[in-house]
Amino acid sequence: MTPLEKDIEKALRRMISRHGGLCLKWVCPGFAGVPDRICLLPGGHLIFVELKRPQGGERAKRQEWWCKTLEKLGFCHRWIKNHEELKALEIEISMILEETEDGYV
């Protein structure tokens, strides 16, 4: 059975928590299309995450704009629509946190 967006979101929250972080829902009145989640990680790292349905989840133009704008400002932004992409994000986070612990970042 294909997971729903809420299943991926729940898995994201659990994964971020396992790494000692917070996965906050971003609600920003007056600004349409902001990413669904702000993930705050140890060491001051921050990742914006837009979740999409595994099947048929289309990216809105305003969401694309936010992605580009946040990345231009130097922030990390990720699109997650399935467990494979979530696992890839977890590997990325593990590497970031490992570098932070070793004093590289």
Side-chain angles (χ1 to χ4, degrees), residues 23-94:
C23 185
L24 308 175
K25 182 83 171 166
W26 191 10
V27 178
C28 194
F31 293 93
V34 296
D36 296 315
R37 292 282 172 170
I38 301 174
C39 300
L40 307 174
L41 299 166
H45 299 283
L46 182 144
I47 301 173
F48 291 94
V49 176
E50 179 64 43
L51 297 153
K52 289 289 169 199
R53 290 185 318 225
Q55 292 182 342
E58 299 293 323
R59 298 177 182 185
K61 287 183 182 181
R62 198 67 181 158
Q63 291 172 325
E64 292 279 0
W65 181 88
W66 273 107
C67 175
K68 290 175 186 170
T69 300
L70 291 168
E71 287 178 344
K72 282 181 186 176
L73 290 171
F75 293 106
C76 181
H77 180 283
R78 297 292 178 266
W79 301 90
I80 305 292
K81 66 177 179 181
N82 57 45
H83 287 289
E84 291 78 22
E85 291 177 353
L86 186 60
K87 183 63 179 168
L89 177 62
E90 184 165 23
I91 291 167
E92 182 181 358
I93 287 170
S94 295

